[in-house]
Amino acid sequence: MRRPKVFISHSSKTPESTAFLEQVYAALSQHGDGQSFKVFLDRKIHAGEEWHKEILEELCTCDAVVILLSKAAFNSPWVRQEAAFSAMRRYGDLALKLVVVTLDDVTAQQIQDCPYLGGVARLHDIQFQPKHKTPEEIIEELADLTIRPYSPLGDLLLKMSETLEYIKPATLERAIRLLDCNCVATLNWNTHLAHTLALSVASEQYKALENLSALMKGIGHVVGQEKARTLLHMVRHLWVSSDAAAHLSNAHTQRIPITVNGFNPEDFTAGSFADRAWGKGNHWLVPVGHCRDMGAIEEAMRQSVGLRTMPLRYKDKLLKTISEPILLVFPAPDEVAPDIDLLPDENLLKDIMGKYPTTVIFIPVGETSPDCRPDLQPIEPALDVAMEDEQYLNYCKVKQYIESM
């Protein structure tokens, strides 16, 4: 099982700061009580080198950032870049944990006055009180750190950077004005523009598709159709509540069928929930249509899982050994034939989950959830059907625009 990942940002040039860094690293890596952390600590990259892609990937995917602000770190372009990026990510991902530790008598006022580190101090959702902390105090601040459901923000930042890397800064600046972005100072202007746009698209999860639509209308002709499609796939599921995604993920672990009060147009909702819970490409989506017997459902699974050209006998073996979640999606009420019950038979669902342990049952139930059987569990928090309609229409609009580019 993946452990929470902690990124340590530092610049240790004195024996004292190096010794403290090693203490923090050892404490986080070997912490007991069932809560050790996977710690990323870069020891190879030296000041003045280009910001390596590996560093960006770690900053995008970590669960917490510990910034050790010694005098050397305070003046380090490397640490400034990492701190500024962490602040940018925190604006769009409030679950990211930031711990600021001051060393060598660095003061809060110095941090607030620095154009690169000030972004950390100005985060509106935390009380900024940096101070020297012992390794034990750092662990205490991270005590409630958990592995969150898959968040696409890191992937989106990386993909957006790759997509916008060769676009002229003037074009990016025009897009930033179009989206009315809040900028945070960084050292690399092109990187800064790309990250600012990515965060502006993703920071308000319910407006992500609407913001992407505005961005594509502004610079879609420069981005190109293929990359625009990639960005759309990455943004599509941001509107889904992380708590609801966690509930779906837990249903996979606990093997409990889930009902969702919605209509799942063209598998939009089911796909969005699955992408939010496990990440795109980390699951299989199987629409079962009107199938209500084991043989027909297994045939639907064979058609959806594996390569199209794979012989059926190999698909059967794959279905029994596959480790990724298989989301079986039943039709919404307005798609169910009159002679078919909305809720599948309890014994049928038990047989499916018994034979295929990674299966997750997803049943759209319309405007409101009916009084469910004990074997079914409504998604929590409940889906806002009006929100589902709005997001689907926004998705269709931006998809149509991209296809017409």
Side-chain angles (χ1 to χ4, degrees):
M1 182 177 179
R2 186 174 82 83
R3 294 173 292 163
K5 186 192 298 185
V6 179
F7 183 104
I8 300 180
S9 177
H10 70 99
S11 178
S12 301
K13 295 185 177 180
T14 66
E16 294 78 12
S17 61
T18 300
F20 182 74
L21 172 66
E22 294 298 338
Q23 291 173 15
V24 172
Y25 177 79
L28 292 175
S29 301
Q30 302 169 12
H31 178 46
D33 300 326
Q35 175 69 340
S36 63
F37 304 104
K38 182 178 180 180
V39 183
F40 181 84
L41 174 62
D42 182 73
R43 304 175 187 273
K44 301 176 183 177
I45 301 176
H46 305 286
E49 290 188 13
E50 185 179 354
W51 205 29
H52 195 275
K53 184 179 179 182
E54 181 184 4
I55 298 293
L56 180 59
E57 289 177 347
E58 294 294 336
L59 277 172
C60 284
T61 58
C62 66
D63 300 291
V65 178
V66 175
I67 304 174
L68 304 182
L69 278 180
S70 61
K71 287 182 179 178
F74 187 82
N75 295 305
S76 164
W78 198 265
V79 175
R80 288 181 172 189
Q81 180 73 74
E82 292 167 353
F85 181 86
S86 299
M88 292 177 69
R89 184 182 157 197
R90 178 59 179 267
Y91 278 113
D93 185 2
L94 297 183
L96 176 68
K97 190 84 171 180
L98 282 181
V99 179
V100 181
V101 181
T102 56
L103 305 169
D104 304 334
D105 299 320
V106 172
T107 67
Q109 191 61 48
Q110 288 176 306
I111 298 171
Q112 290 171 333
D113 292 341
C114 177
Y116 304 109
L117 300 174
V120 176
R122 289 187 291 273
L123 286 169
H124 65 278
D125 62 297
I126 62 174
Q127 185 178 8
F128 184 67
Q129 294 182 327
K131 64 175 184 178
H132 179 74
K133 300 179 177 74
T134 65
E136 292 73 24
E137 289 174 322
I138 295 173
I139 288 175
E140 187 176 344
E141 284 206 36
L142 299 175
D144 60 347
L145 185 65
T146 58
I147 300 173
R148 296 165 286 123
Y150 166 76
S151 172
L153 186 59
D155 289 341
L156 182 61
L157 287 168
L158 290 170
K159 182 58 66 175
M160 189 76 83
S161 298
E162 294 170 4
T163 301
L164 303 178
E165 183 177 3
Y166 301 106
I167 297 178
K168 294 179 180 179
T171 303
L172 299 181
E173 289 172 357
R174 186 169 65 250
I176 285 176
R177 289 193 297 272
L178 180 68
L179 292 179
D180 192 23
C181 304
N182 292 318
C183 297
V184 178
T186 61
L187 302 180
N188 184 307
W189 185 238
N190 254 42
T191 300
H192 160 62
L193 294 173
H195 292 165
T196 298
L197 282 173
L199 285 165
S200 296
V201 168
S203 59
E204 296 182 83
Q205 63 185 75
Y206 301 124
K207 296 182 66 177
L209 285 167
E210 182 181 339
N211 288 339
L212 181 64
S213 179
L215 180 64
M216 288 300 101
K217 289 178 180 177
I219 62 172
H221 62 289
V222 183
V223 172
Q225 197 174 64
E226 182 179 349
K227 291 181 178 179
R229 288 195 190 107
T230 299
L231 294 177
L232 174 59
H233 288 311
M234 299 185 74
V235 167
R236 181 185 73 165
H237 57 276
L238 289 178
W239 65 278
V240 174
S241 160
S242 60
D243 290 335
H247 190 179
L248 183 65
S249 182
N250 290 336
H252 171 234
T253 304
Q254 299 171 9
R255 300 171 68 184
I256 300 173
I258 289 291
T259 62
V260 180
N261 56 308
F263 292 92
N264 187 34
E266 297 181 0
D267 295 321
F268 169 75
T269 305
S272 297
F273 268 78
D275 286 350
R276 189 75 168 93
W278 300 295
K280 188 170 179 63
N282 296 324
H283 58 84
W284 300 94
L285 191 70
V286 182
V288 300
H290 295 146
C291 302
R292 287 297 188 274
D293 64 81
M294 190 69 167
I297 288 177
E298 286 183 311
E299 180 58 29
M301 294 171 71
R302 293 188 193 101
Q303 295 300 321
S304 300
V305 173
L307 300 173
R308 291 182 181 275
T309 57
M310 182 183 290
L312 289 181
R313 64 187 300 268
Y314 291 104
K315 284 196 174 187
D316 287 336
K317 290 183 179 181
L318 178 63
L319 283 170
K320 293 177 181 178
T321 59
I322 199 167
S323 59
E324 297 91 352
I326 303 173
L327 194 68
L328 283 189
V329 183
F330 285 82
D334 55 357
E335 298 174 354
V336 176
D339 58 336
I340 296 179
D341 291 334
L342 169 62
L343 301 179
D345 179 72
E346 178 179 354
N347 291 326
L348 172 64
L349 299 183
K350 286 182 179 179
D351 290 343
I352 294 170
M353 292 185 293
K355 189 172 182 178
Y356 304 102
T358 62
T359 297
V360 185
I361 308 296
F362 187 98
I363 308 172
V365 291
E367 192 76 34
T368 57
S369 294
D371 292 333
C372 286
R373 304 187 312 239
D375 66 305
L376 303 177
Q377 192 173 93
I379 195 77
E380 293 181 0
L383 176 64
D384 183 333
V385 176
M387 173 68 71
E388 179 189 42
D389 290 343
E390 179 184 350
Q391 296 299 327
Y392 178 63
L393 290 175
N394 285 336
Y395 171 75
C396 290
K397 287 177 183 176
V398 67
K399 183 178 180 181
Q400 183 178 12
Y401 181 80
I402 291 173
E403 296 306 318
S404 67
M405 288 191 328

